[in-house]
């Protein structure tokens, strides 16, 4: 029996891919372990979105070499694997397998292939001064497959309470800063019949919450089906109490979609709508294909239909050519929308993306970028603190997900806010009414008010 350990970096799509890999390995008799030290196979499922994400992985692969020396195979999978390919084989002490996001069905075979070539670990500790045997060069598996949607693979899910359901892979946009289309390929949409079967099976297993995933999830379409129709049907599956979706692109965010969100009780009144910048010139250079005015109009539709909706967004500061004026416009947008949550980034140059070809003298110096980021974070945090403080005292329906890190229980409100509170572990997997007692930055502390029937 072989043991596999998977460590995941990056977005929800990558978490979901790790669940697919775990499923593929389980079918071949691997058992999952949550510790690298007793694993026969260590997989690091990586992200390439910013340089920082990649540096962390290089450091981590270096640390994991101790297990490789003891005989474990190390595979690097995902977006950074796809981006770096061959170049990863010799990095950070070496890896045995580099595999891109479309090749996971081959995982067991390729692990066996590379494993067979390895020199067995020495039976006795190596004498002082001798070196561990030189291992053969690793394998790369990097092809894109325009039809690979992992249909028929049963993912091995981390949570029995809330499930990621990928409905789309890849991306047809070409935002000029972004590496995703180059490491995940063009958009591929799953068949609605398979998606709905999966959601029904989840509901039957007692999973009350699903999150539909795609890089531009609302551009999903299939055989005349649109995303709003799919969302409605998912929301109506018996036993599904909460549906979320991420990330929609502001283009193709239609009134019809707002209507489905507003009228289907199971669709959470929560929306992550990445804006990236508050200035039209920047948006144009980013090739986002909408204007600030169009974006704000959509926010208005949403708030008109669902006055209490919780909003979140993504922003990049210091994109090449961003002037002070353009940056100030982003601050202004944040002040006017007042997001409940925001993921704020400093532009990170990604080799091969169109933005790298902009004139060098227009690149924003790092200190300025850093200062812009810090000020934006402070502005957002102040707004968030006000919004969160106003929620203290409310009684919210919380889906209890797990034990909290510091004891007690942890769950989420409909608006996707994390709440910790004291209560019996039997509540995990069910809904509870919790009074929000206080807030510390990004989470709430609450008190159990009323435990409800199991979901
Ligand atoms: N498909 C999603 C975004 C996925 S990447 C969408 O379009 O909404 C998540 C976020 O990372 C992006 O929204 C963007 O804000 C940020 N990001 C992407 N590329 C980046 C880069 N080169 N530098 C800094 N942030 C980046
Ligand atoms: Fe990247 Fe743009 Fe595609 Fe999102 S929509 S994944 S930001 S290219
Ligand atoms: Fe990162 Fe790949 Fe997701 S680059 S953000 S893990 S799609």
């Amino acid at each position: 029996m072989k043991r596999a350990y998977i460590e995941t970096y990056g977005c929800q799509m990558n978490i979901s891919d790790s669940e697919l890999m775990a499923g593929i390995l389980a079918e071949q008799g691997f058992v999952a372990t949550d510790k690298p030290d007793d694993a026969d196979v260590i997989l690091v499922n990586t992200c390439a979105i910013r340089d920082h994400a990649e540096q962390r992985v290089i450091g981590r692969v270096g640390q994991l070499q101790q297990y490789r020396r003891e005989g474990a195979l190390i595979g690097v999978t995902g977006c950074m694997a796809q981006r770096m390919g061959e170049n990863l084989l010799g990095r950070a002490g070496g890896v045995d397998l580099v595999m891109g996001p479309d090749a996971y069905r081959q995982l067991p075979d390729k692990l066996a292939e590379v494993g067979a070539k390895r020199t067995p670990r020495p039976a006795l500790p190596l004498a002082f001064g001798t070196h561990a045997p030189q291992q053969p060069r690793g394998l790369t598996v990097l092809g894109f497959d325009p039809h690979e949607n992992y249909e028929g693979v049963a993912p091995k899910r981390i949570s029995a309470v809330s499930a990621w359901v990928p409905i789309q892979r890849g991306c047809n946009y070409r935002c000029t800063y972004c590496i995703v289309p180059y490491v995940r390929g063009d958009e591929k949409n799953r068949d609605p019949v398979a998606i709905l079967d999966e959601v029904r099976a989840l509901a039957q297993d007692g999973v009350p919450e699903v999150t539909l995933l795609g890089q531009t999830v609302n551009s999903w379409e299939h055989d005349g089906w649109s995303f709003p129709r799919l969302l409605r049907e998912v929301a109506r599956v018996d036993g599904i109490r909460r549906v979320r979706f991420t990330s929609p692109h502001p283009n193709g965010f239609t009134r019809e979609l707002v209507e489905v969100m507003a009228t289907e009780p199971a669709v959470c009144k929560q929306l992550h709508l990445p804006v990236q910048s508050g200035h039209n010139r920047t948006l144009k250079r980013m090739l986002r294909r909408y204007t600030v005015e169009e974006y704000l109009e959509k926010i208005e539709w949403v708030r008109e239909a669902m006055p209490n909706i919780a909003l979140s967004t993504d922003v990049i500061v210091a994109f090449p050519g961003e002037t002070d004026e353009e940056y100030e416009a982003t601050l202004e947008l944040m002040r006017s929308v007042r997001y409940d949550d925001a993921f704020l980034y400093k532009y990170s140059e990604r080799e091969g993306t169109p933005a790298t070809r902009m004139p060098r003298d227009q690149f924003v110096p790092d200190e300025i970028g850093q200062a812009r980021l810090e000020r934006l974070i402070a502005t957002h945090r102040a707004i968030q603190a006000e919004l969160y403080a106003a929620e203290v005292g409310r009684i919210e329906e919380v889906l209890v997900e797990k034990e909290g890190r510091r004891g007690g229980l942890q769950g989420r409100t409909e608006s996707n806010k994390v709440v910790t509170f004291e209560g019996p572990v039997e509540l995990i997997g069910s809904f509870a009414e919790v009074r929000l007692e206080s807030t510390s930055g990004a989470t709430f502390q609450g008190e159990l008010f009323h435990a409800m029937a199991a979901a």
Side-chain angles (χ1 to χ4, degrees), residues 9-15 17 45-50 53-54 78-80 101 178-180 183-184 215:
Y9 295 79
C11 64
Q12 291 96 334
M13 188 62 73
N14 243 22
I15 302 174
D17 276 1
N45 192 16
T46 62
C47 174
I49 203 81
R50 284 168 290 274
E54 294 198 344
C79 299
M80 178 185 172
C178 184
I179 194 74
V180 170
V183 292
R184 291 206 160 244
Q215 290 300 345

Side-chain angles (χ1 to χ4, degrees), residues 14-322:
N14 243 22
I15 302 174
S16 163
D17 276 1
S18 289
E19 296 183 335
L20 282 173
M21 286 194 270
I24 289 166
L25 289 173
E27 263 173 38
Q28 298 301 317
F30 281 82
V31 282
T33 167
D34 55 6
K35 291 187 301 290
D37 50 342
D38 66 0
D40 302 287
V41 168
I42 297 174
L43 297 176
V44 186
N45 192 16
T46 62
C47 174
I49 203 81
R50 284 168 290 274
D51 183 56
H52 175 73
E54 294 198 344
Q55 294 311 321
R56 272 177 67 207
V57 166
I58 296 284
R60 183 62 180 144
V61 170
Q63 282 175 354
L64 291 168
Q65 289 302 322
Q66 54 174 313
Y67 308 116
R68 186 159 178 260
R69 283 191 290 273
E70 288 163 9
L73 294 175
I74 296 189
V76 178
T77 62
C79 299
M80 178 185 172
Q82 186 71 42
R83 192 183 84 74
M84 291 185 62
E86 284 274 321
N87 295 334
L88 253 174
L89 288 176
R91 291 295 295 274
V95 301
D96 301 291
L97 179 64
V98 175
M99 184 174 265
D102 275 358
Y104 298 149
R105 280 186 207 264
Q106 300 173 54
L107 201 45
D109 284 353
K110 295 295 169 185
L111 286 170
E113 189 178 329
V114 76
K117 283 197 251 163
R118 290 242 348 206
T119 320
R121 78 184 93 170
L124 295 168
L126 295 170
F128 182 75
T130 50
H131 290 286
Q134 188 72 34
Q135 297 297 349
R137 204 171 155 74
L139 280 177
T140 57
V141 194
L142 300 168
F144 281 131
D145 177 346
H147 303 292
E148 181 58 279
N149 274 331
Y150 295 105
E151 231 48 274
V153 172
K156 205 164 166 300
R157 293 192 152 92
I158 302 161
S159 167
V161 181
S162 179
W164 307 113
V165 178
I167 66 166
Q168 174 184 70
R169 300 180 69 84
C171 179
N172 277 352
Y173 279 81
R174 294 291 180 269
C175 303
T176 52
Y177 49 81
C178 184
I179 194 74
V180 170
Y182 309 97
V183 292
R184 291 206 160 244
D186 289 339
E187 179 180 310
K188 299 181 271 190
N189 293 317
R190 276 182 74 192
D191 186 330
V193 175
I195 297 168
L196 284 162
D197 279 349
E198 185 172 338
V199 173
R200 279 187 213 105
L202 284 164
Q204 259 160 25
D205 286 347
V207 177
E209 178 177 86
V210 294
T211 303
L212 307 180
L213 291 182
Q215 290 300 345
T216 57
V217 71
N218 53 329
S219 70
W220 177 92
E221 56 174 359
H222 200 283
D223 281 347
W225 280 58
S226 66
F227 181 69
R229 177 171 169 201
L230 178 70
L231 183 63
R232 194 182 287 282
E233 302 240 349
V234 168
R236 290 186 178 178
V237 168
D238 249 358
I240 294 296
R241 300 263 307 265
R242 282 183 175 179
V243 182
R244 307 182 194 274
F245 56 91
T246 199
S247 292
H249 192 286
N251 286 358
F253 191 87
T254 58
R255 286 224 187 240
E256 191 194 356
L257 177 50
V258 176
E259 162 79 15
V260 173
M261 291 182 73
T263 53
E264 288 300 327
V267 178
C268 291
K269 305 304 174 261
Q270 172 245 320
L271 176 67
H272 180 69
L273 196 61
V275 67
Q276 312 299 359
S277 165
H279 199 288
N280 286 337
R281 275 204 308 267
T282 317
L283 288 176
K284 197 156 195 175
R285 288 197 306 281
M286 290 176 162
L287 202 64
R288 285 293 288 180
R289 308 174 205 221
Y290 52 82
T291 62
V292 173
E293 293 72 24
E294 284 162 345
Y295 179 92
L296 290 176
E297 189 187 8
K298 294 182 183 194
I299 295 287
E300 236 168 74
W301 296 348
V302 167
R303 280 195 161 141
E304 244 164 53
M306 296 164 277
N308 288 323
I309 193 151
L311 295 173
S312 58
T313 200
D314 292 342
V315 173
I316 300 174
V317 299
F319 182 70
E322 186 186 70

